[in-house]
Each structure stands twice: as structure tokens, then as C-alpha cells.
Amino acid sequence: MKKNIKSVSETYICPKKAGYKFRSARKFHTPLYLYGVTGIGKTALILNNVNMKKCSYYSATTILADEINIEKKTTEHTVVIDDLQSLADSSQKEAYFEKIKELLGREDIWLILISRCPFPRWLMPLRAKYIFVEIEEEDFLFSLDEQIAYIEQFGLELPHEQHQEAWSIGGGNPLSLFFYVMENCNLERTIKRQWDYLEVHVYDQWDLQLQEFFMDVSVVEEFTVQLAAMLTGRRDVEKLISQAEETGNFFEICGTNGIWRCRWPMRKSMQQRLRRRKTAEQIERLYYSAGLYYEINDQIPEALDMYEKYNDMDSISRLLTANARKNPSSGHYFELRRYYLELPDNIVENSPVLMAGLSLLQSMLMNIEESDRWYHALEKYAEEHTGSEKREARSRLLYLKIALPHTGSTGLIDIFKNADLLLRDRKAVLPEFSVTSNLPSLMNGGKDFCEWSKHDKELARGIGIPVAFVLGKYGKGLVPMALAESYLEKGQDIFEIFSLAEKGKMETDSGGKLEMFFVGVGLLAWLSVLNRDAEGAEKTLLSFRERARKDAPNLLPNIDAFLCRVHLYMGKDVADWMAQAPDESREFCTMDRFRYLTKVRIYIQRGQYQAAYCLIQQILYYAEMMKRTYIYMEATLLLAIVQYQMNQPAWKETLQECISRAEEYHFVRVLTREGPVLFQMLEKDKFIWQDAEYKNQVLTECRQMAEAYPFYLSEEGEEQIALSTNAVKILKLQAEGMASAAIAQSMKLSEATVKYHCRETYRKLGVKNKTAAIAEARRRKLI
């Protein structure tokens, strides 16, 4: 039977966007679909905008489809069918499908459907045939101004801080605001009442299987079908997810790339429900299952997080040991540093692998004394043990002698020769090794080999074969590519460099590692840039990126940084890369050095000289601590450029230091890569050069680079940012101190539209917040 609803609130506040869509649908007699969580205001919108004398209201929870019988009307009659999410039985859905289809075909009826979930799959054929206006959950949310008006109806005039507090609960959700008022603006009690309401009016209405499902998956932030199956022990996960999607709007992410994520309030309330309804042992089992899933899928940080919550020290120790068997380019040393540093000494001291891992990690963190402490502890372990334990310790010591970042390359020739003998006599096994640390360089990869470049040909002949043998598959292609890179840096014959790089790539492709192949790709890309063909370099890198995406995703961050460097030469917009660049102000990760050096260049281009200066100082400290000669030269040159742009006289002294150091190694390209900026600096003053031929080569190549890439690192060379009229106006109002809600009211736009313009503006300007956007827009003279 029909349900009669007569009450209409005189104080009802209609959300602007929902009201606009409703009026538009009514004007054009378009069927309407409303959805959102319980209490969002769906029914209230109908009650306060429809003539209830000409309306029939039905709830799918209390009436069957064949009981909906409406006589032919002479004037338009509104039919509302609510609670469609309650239809779980397929026969009920089929009956309602036919009834809705019948009502949609009648000209005398304006049909409104209400549910808690987005448009359900079983109604999709009708959605395809009839154009529905959909009023989504977000459309029911109040703007800040509407929230203020709503709260003031209850005689409350709150300060701005309390309105922001109320906003933080539900982002304008009318039900949350109602609870906030009921609880006299007590935030904690409001949240509890909201969760209790969901318990009674939503979760308790589900069948037990769905309740159990959401409680179990609440231990993780997001899940896949496989993870959910592992947590719940069920084989019908996809069916449950489909049921959940038709029951309500509970997912923040719905199957994007195979991932689901519950909305934050729901996950928190489900966790609360889980703690009340299951034992500690049952909850711990869920965390263990999640940890095991992540471990199987090599998601080590996530696995450790789960095991930590489960308080499973054995699994944590086991995972950290497994990770320590990897080299830094494939392991998660920096990301897992907290877990490593919290390991009790007595656990570490009984594992050669963990001792080596701690020594390596502490070196990466530039804690030299701690690194040496664990190295010596490992030496002691090797002296005190025999058999396989001694062999394991010796293998780890051999690895550290070669790989420890802070020890530099001094003495490595003897180490490699000794390693060759140890490996051939089977007294040690070299663990997984990386020469490049995922960088497109051998000479400036895992370690700095500038000194070796002084004797590149002799070393290639003398220890090339032993080094390749010691490194195994990581040594495939090493000798020709090391020579190619040394020749490139010294500005030698391009065709010989090209030939050696291609030879190295061929050798690497026959059983080597893709990270070594990246070195060859990088050499060819630099040759293209230096040959005034940045577009060719871009194509080379993009082609390799596709291969790395499938076979070596750990290379992607540095490939993208290399592409960004090339785009700077081409004058392309690099805002997208900058948005995902590592944040040096939060932490300095030595593995991100190539990306930091790229970021410095963008800072210079944008005129953010203070930011560039601060980052350069961090890089210089790292270079000195870790004996990184090449990076020290590169950072010193960038510092000179910053000082020059800021009109600081010290730039000449800084540049002279860089020139002298580079000439010592006869490195040409460390200077000429910055040729478009460096050429004008070299013309400003006289500098001391020891070799006239070297000087002429640098000057000639700098001039060529300046001609080829005149806008490199130049503010004038930035790609012009096109902002719409509304976007510029919003920026100006923000600069005057206006909030989004006030701007929306002033410009007669929805607050969602204002926020959209803001997001697009931030993206185009390459910034993350309003303050930075205003500053960048002023710098670019957009406002």
C-alpha cells in the first residue's frame, strides 16, 4: 500500500546542488535517482519540494512491486519508490524492474527512485534507455554557509573554529550536524553517536555474512578480492562485494585497478564493532593473515605493519632478514629503517645477514660509527664461528667491503682481486649485488669511480674480467659501458661511445640485469641531448620505460627523473613530475640523490633559489660524507648557478672550484650539460684553466648547448600556464583572504566547482596548496 507523508519542515535548508538538479529534473519531466548514506537528506528533499497531495510514496522494504497500482491521471503525478537497496532477492528485483519500466513508460507519472547505493546493476538497462538525473551523495552535503545557517536554527552561534570542527566530522553531512547540535558541540560524543546510529540503522539490517565481511576487511586500509578471501576465508568474495555495492554507498574506491577501499567513517566504526564482537585471538589472526598475504605478494612494508599489530616478532625478524639479503636497489632498507633500528641487539647479533643489513643501512643513513660497529661485530662473528655460519659471515663481509657507501672506491681493486680468489675457491658467495643503485650510471652509481676514470683503459684490461666474474649477472656488460661512460664524461669520440654503449647493452641482454641496461640507455640519451636532439633522448627513455614498467618497476623513479631532465632542455612543463618528487624537507634519502639533483634544477628554473640552495647544501653534505666526487662537482656547479642568479659575488669562487675539480679528471660533460646557463657565466669573468685544449672544448660545447637549448633553466623559458577566467578570479580572491565557501557565494558557483578550479590550478602551477599557488601565480604575473 501507499505510504502517506505529510510533514514539511519550515526550517528546511535545501543543499544548493541537490536542489538545482531536482528542479531541473522536474522541469523536463526527467526520471530522478537519489542515493546516499542513511540520514543524508534524500527523503527530506522530496518532502520539501514535492506537492505531497499529488505524490505516492512507496518503500521497497514494506511493499511488493505488484502492489504498486496507480490509476491513470489527468495531471502529472509523482511516484516515489524508496529503499531500493533492500531488494536482495533476484525475483524481487525482476518484479521491481518490470514495475519501474512500466512507470517510466507512462507520461502522466514523474518517477523518483531512492536508494543508499549508486545506480544498481540490475536497473542498468533502464538507465541506458531513459535519461535519469542522478542526485549523488555529495550533492546533499551542505556548504559551510549552509552549515552555519543550519546550526543557527537551533539558537547556536559558534566561532569559526567550532564550525571547522563540525565540518571535520562529516564534511557538511546534515545528520552529523544534527548529532553535533544534540551533543552540545561535543566532538567525541558526536562521533560515538554517529557510529552508534550506523550500528543500529545500517549494519544491524544486513545479513550476518555481510557484517562479518566488512568487520574482517576493516583491519586493512584497502583490499583486493584475493586479500579479502584470505582474511574472510570465503570463496564468494566477489558476490559479497557486489551485494555491498547494492546495499549502500560504502566504498571510497570501487574496484579501481582491482582495489577496494571502505570509506573512513565506515572502516572506523567497523573496527569498533570488530573489537566488541571478536576475541583478541581472532583479531590477531586477521592481522596475521593480512601480513601473510602482503608477504606472499612482496609488499614488505605492508606485511611488517600487519605483523607489528599482531605483535609477531618472529615474522618481523624473518622478513627483515629476507629483505637484508637483497641489495639496496631492490630491497626496502630506507622504507623499513624504523623496523631495523628497533630490532633488539641480541636478535641482530645472532644473524650475519641482519648485521650486514644494519651496517649497510646505517651507512645509507650516514651514521658511519654505527655502520662500522656492526661491520666489526660481523668480523667478530666470522672469527668465532665455523662451517656454514663462518662462510655466510665472510660472504657478507666481502659484500660490505665492496658495497658500503661511505668507504668509497679506495682499495677496491685489491678487494675485487681477493674476491675473485675467494669465489673461485668457494670460500665465500657474493650476495645479490648492484653496481648502479638504479641510477643510469656506473661511474656515479652505487659508488663513485671518478678516480678509476683516470686509468680507464688499463683498468678495463687489468681487472675487467675479475670484476665481471665477481659480480656475476650484475657484471654483464659492465666493462664496455664503464668505458663508454668514462669517454662520455671526458668528451671523447661520440662514435666510440655509441659503439661501446651498444656492445654493453647487447652483453647485458644476454643474461644480465635490466638496471645495467639502463646505463646503456642513459648513455645513448645523453648523446642525443649533447647532439642537440632532446626529442630523440625522450623517445629512447620512453621506449625503455615501457620495458622497465613490466620487468623492473624499481627503475621507474629514476627513469622519470631522467625524462624530467630531458624535458627541461625541451622547455616542457615538468609540474607533474615535481608533484611526485621526493620531499627533502621531510627526510633526505640517499637513494633519491638523482631525483634531488633533478629537483634542484627545477627550483632554479622556477626562481626558487632559497629552496635550491637548501637542497644543494644537503647534497653537498652527503657527497662529502660518502666520498661522492662527481656529485660534489655537480652540486657545486649548481650552487654557483644559484649564487649567480641571486647576484652573489661568491659565484665566481664556487665556479672556479668546480672547474678546477672537473679539469683534474678531464670531465667535460659535468660542465657542458649546464651549458645554456654556464656559457653566459663563463663570459662574465676570467677563470683559471690548466689546459687550453680542455678549456676550448668546454667553451665550444657550452656555446653549442646554449644555442640548442636557449631556455634551459631559464624562468623565461617556462611553458606558459593557461588559466581560465574563473580560475584567475578565484586565485585573486584567495589572495585577498577569502575562503572557498565565500568565493563560491560571491561568484555564484558551487563550492565543489571552486575546489575543482583550485585543484586544476595547483596541478598546472606544480604546487600543493593555496599559499604556494598564490606565490607562484604572482611570480608568473598571472595575478
Side-chain angles (χ1 to χ4, degrees), residues 152-268:
E152 285 179 350
Q153 289 180 146
F154 297 90
L156 295 173
E157 293 189 12
L158 306 180
H160 177 73
E161 294 75 20
Q162 275 191 279
H163 273 297
Q164 289 297 330
E165 181 181 78
W167 186 269
S168 71
I169 303 172
N173 186 316
L175 185 63
S176 297
L177 294 176
F178 180 67
F179 290 152
Y180 188 69
V181 171
M182 284 181 65
E183 296 296 343
N184 295 316
C185 306
N186 183 296
L187 187 64
E188 188 175 334
R189 289 206 304 266
T190 300
I191 294 172
K192 184 179 184 305
R193 180 178 281 272
Q194 184 171 296
W195 286 355
D196 290 342
Y197 180 88
L198 289 172
E199 287 268 333
V200 175
H201 294 277
V202 180
Y203 308 147
D204 286 344
Q205 311 305 315
W206 297 347
D207 62 49
L208 193 58
Q209 292 182 105
L210 202 55
Q211 293 182 39
E212 289 283 339
F213 173 79
F214 274 114
M215 281 193 292
D216 288 348
V217 299
S218 72
V219 299
V220 294
E221 288 190 13
E222 54 191 35
F223 61 89
T224 62
V225 169
Q226 294 79 14
L227 174 54
M230 201 159 182
L231 288 169
T232 63
R234 300 185 64 93
R235 296 182 178 180
D236 58 348
V237 166
E238 290 181 324
K239 179 182 176 182
L240 284 171
I241 291 174
S242 179
Q243 183 183 342
E245 288 179 326
E246 293 189 356
T247 302
N249 190 28
F250 304 121
F251 294 115
E252 183 181 330
I253 296 176
C254 299
T256 306
N257 296 322
I259 292 172
W260 278 263
R261 181 190 296 161
C262 293
R263 296 169 70 171
W264 180 84
M266 179 189 175
R267 182 179 174 231
K268 288 298 179 184

Side-chain angles (χ1 to χ4, degrees), residues 22 159 186 375 402 425 443 460 466 541 561 595 680 750 756 766 778:
F22 185 93
N186 183 296
Y375 181 86
I402 298 173
D425 293 342
M443 193 163 64
L541 289 167
R595 300 169 76 199
Q680 55 183 294
S750 71
Y756 168 78
R778 282 175 173 160

Side-chain angles (χ1 to χ4, degrees), residues 481-750:
M481 281 200 277
L483 278 175
E485 186 173 355
S486 183
Y487 292 175
L488 174 75
E489 291 300 333
K490 292 177 179 179
Q492 293 179 210
D493 182 69
I494 283 181
F495 292 102
E496 188 171 4
I497 298 168
F498 184 89
S499 175
L500 285 166
E502 287 293 356
K503 180 182 178 183
K505 285 170 60 186
M506 293 286 286
E507 289 184 12
T508 303
D509 250 349
S510 60
K513 298 293 288 185
L514 203 58
E515 64 180 69
M516 187 69 75
F517 195 89
F518 183 26
V519 175
V521 170
L523 291 170
L524 297 180
W526 279 127
L527 285 175
S528 294
V529 169
L530 294 166
N531 202 35
R532 308 185 221 186
D533 181 19
E535 289 80 4
E538 181 187 41
K539 289 178 182 176
T540 298
L541 289 167
L542 285 174
S543 176
F544 177 66
R545 191 185 190 284
E546 278 303 299
R547 181 178 175 186
R549 185 176 60 81
K550 299 174 185 175
D551 302 331
N554 52 307
L555 297 178
L556 292 179
N558 284 329
I559 295 174
D560 289 340
F562 202 148
L563 276 165
C564 181
R565 293 274 296 270
V566 173
H567 289 159
L568 287 173
Y569 289 108
M570 298 170 71
K572 284 192 171 185
D573 182 19
V574 294
D576 286 346
W577 183 87
M578 196 64 166
Q580 49 87 41
D583 184 358
E584 71 279 4
S585 61
R586 187 177 62 184
E587 56 192 12
F588 187 91
C589 175
T590 57
M591 294 295 287
D592 282 332
R593 52 193 178 271
F594 186 71
R595 300 169 76 199
Y596 289 138
L597 286 161
T598 302
K599 197 172 182 182
V600 167
R601 289 168 167 87
I602 297 173
Y603 280 147
I604 292 172
Q605 185 192 60
R606 292 181 170 183
Q608 296 172 264
Y609 301 125
Q610 184 173 345
Y613 182 86
C614 290
L615 181 49
I616 289 169
Q617 292 305 318
Q618 293 184 64
I619 295 169
L620 286 171
Y621 176 80
Y622 158 74
E624 289 187 82
M625 289 284 287
M626 298 291 111
K627 301 178 176 63
R628 306 294 304 215
T629 303
Y630 193 94
I631 288 178
Y632 186 87
M633 282 187 280
E634 186 177 358
T636 302
L637 177 56
L638 292 172
L639 177 60
I641 291 172
V642 169
Q643 292 171 332
Y644 174 76
Q645 299 287 19
M646 296 177 72
N647 295 316
Q648 293 180 358
W651 74 267
K652 298 173 186 176
E653 183 181 344
T654 305
L655 180 55
Q656 181 62 67
E657 179 189 354
C658 182
I659 290 172
S660 299
R661 184 73 70 93
E663 189 171 12
E664 179 186 344
Y665 298 93
H666 204 280
F667 286 169
V668 174
R669 269 56 193 264
V670 70
L671 299 172
T672 61
R673 283 189 183 95
E674 315 310 318
V677 183
L678 183 58
F679 183 66
Q680 55 183 294
M681 295 168 66
L682 293 173
E683 287 191 318
K684 291 282 184 180
D685 211 324
K686 292 184 178 180
F687 296 90
I688 300 171
W689 306 79
Q690 300 300 322
D691 185 339
E693 185 179 343
Y694 173 78
K695 172 187 174 181
N696 289 334
Q697 187 176 4
V698 170
L699 288 173
T700 299
E701 199 163 292
C702 280
R703 183 184 297 108
Q704 292 171 348
M705 292 288 282
E707 292 170 356
Y709 311 111
F711 298 118
Y712 175 71
L713 301 195
S714 166
E715 290 185 68
E716 292 75 19
E718 289 178 321
E719 187 174 59
Q720 292 298 310
I721 300 296
L723 298 180
S724 67
T725 303
N726 276 346
V728 171
K729 189 172 181 180
I730 288 168
L731 260 180
K732 288 179 178 177
L733 293 174
Q734 285 181 322
E736 293 171 9
M738 287 181 69
S740 296
I743 293 172
Q745 187 174 15
S746 169
M747 296 179 64
K748 294 182 171 51
L749 299 171
S750 71

Side-chain angles (χ1 to χ4, degrees), residues 12 77 174 177 446 451 548 773:
Y12 172 73
H77 187 76
L177 294 176
E451 289 297 322

